[in-house]
Amino acid sequence: MFGLNRARQTAAVVAATAAAAAGALLGAPTATAAPQPIVGGTTTTTTAYPFMMQITDASQSQFCGGTLVSARKVVTAAHCMVGETTGSVRVVGGRTYLNGTDGTVSRVSKIWIHPSYTDASDGDDVAVLTLSTSMPYTPASYVSSSQTGVYAAGTTARILGWGTTSSGGSTSNQLRTATVPVVSDAGCRSSYGSDYVASDMVCAGYSSGGVDTCQGDSGGPLLIGGVLAGITSWGEGCAEAGYPGVYTRLTTFSGQVTTQVNS
């Protein structure tokens, strides 16, 4: 069993690392450079990606990401929401920096976790949050159940998040992004064996490593053609050669997500 290395940040880790991360934003490194938050990525803004949401505790300490898919619905990972209640979670939109005070903060009125979810490496890693306050930002479109062709090996995908600089490292104060190629099912299975459930998961990353999501990026989007096609879920380490990131295959769960969005 492989570790859940996209696991949500705890509030204590975020609080301890956010100040250190502020002002330490570096340019895009090469694949062999020191890891960056969204390892190997570059800084960006919520103006460029208005659907990118921070999922925080009640004190607005970010621990996961999410994607706004309608004014009051956010798609995230199930493992981000395990143990949470509607009172313990906030969603923040329009805030590029973790230490910012701008944007819109909403309470959560409902948490839907896939009923079959037990562990990210077993699949079903999807959740939908219903917000108490509408977000005044442009939502993302997401894949339908029939769009399975979007995951063709080699297709360029985009990842986003405020995650750590390395496995167990410091978070990025500013939102970051990178692009990674989709990996074939056979390639992902060769890395993860039976822990890779092709019906529920898709891998993305370089065989040489160097670009990846990491802790705190959980729940954030995997975008293909600008459309939400995956959810940051798990992996072995961060940006390690031979171990691409694993994302929830959203086409499998699109119908259930739509039911929640329309509820």
Side-chain angles (χ1 to χ4, degrees):
M1 183 69 70
F2 291 88
L4 301 187
N5 291 294
R6 304 300 182 273
R8 49 168 287 174
Q9 285 281 83
T10 64
V13 171
V14 172
T17 59
L25 307 173
L26 305 178
T30 65
T32 57
Q36 299 300 306
I38 287 277
V39 179
T42 58
T43 55
T44 189
T45 67
T46 54
T47 301
Y49 298 99
F51 46 78
M52 186 65 197
M53 301 284 113
Q54 294 181 25
I55 296 179
T56 78
D57 63 16
S59 300
Q60 294 181 40
S61 291
Q62 183 262 351
F63 61 83
C64 274
T67 305
L68 188 74
V69 295
S70 72
R72 294 183 60 218
K73 302 289 181 173
V74 171
V75 172
T76 188
H79 77 260
C80 288
M81 292 295 107
V82 171
E84 299 294 342
T85 66
T86 55
S88 69
V89 177
R90 303 289 185 272
V91 174
V92 183
R95 184 177 294 177
T96 295
Y97 295 92
L98 293 182
N99 64 355
T101 57
D102 56 338
T104 302
V105 181
S106 178
R107 289 178 174 266
V108 172
S109 60
K110 178 185 175 184
I111 299 172
W112 176 84
I113 296 174
H114 192 285
S116 298
Y117 175 79
T118 56
D119 185 275
S121 62
D122 292 330
D124 303 309
D125 193 13
V126 57
V128 179
L129 309 183
T130 301
L131 307 182
S132 301
T133 302
S134 293
M135 288 286 173
Y137 310 109
T138 303
S141 300
Y142 60 93
V143 290
S144 69
S145 58
S146 64
Q147 291 179 283
T148 54
V150 300
Y151 305 112
T155 301
T156 298
R158 180 166 295 278
I159 49 179
L160 291 154
W162 290 269
T164 59
T165 59
S166 59
S167 186
S170 299
T171 56
S172 174
N173 186 51
Q174 184 173 354
L175 179 64
R176 294 184 71 93
T177 186
T179 57
V180 285
V182 174
V183 177
S184 68
D185 288 339
C188 202
R189 196 173 292 109
S190 70
S191 296
Y192 292 111
S194 61
D195 280 331
Y196 178 69
V197 183
S199 62
D200 290 16
M201 304 171 188
V202 60
C203 286
Y206 295 95
S207 59
S208 58
V211 184
D212 202 1
T213 46
C214 206
Q215 284 99 348
D217 291 322
S218 280
L222 179 81
L223 303 170
I224 299 177
V227 175
L228 179 64
I231 303 164
T232 302
S233 184
W234 65 283
E236 176 66 17
C238 298
E240 291 188 16
Y243 290 102
V246 185
Y247 301 83
T248 303
R249 186 178 291 254
L250 195 55
T251 51
T252 299
F253 307 101
S254 180
Q256 290 164 298
V257 168
T258 296
T259 297
Q260 296 304 315
V261 169
N262 292 337
S263 67

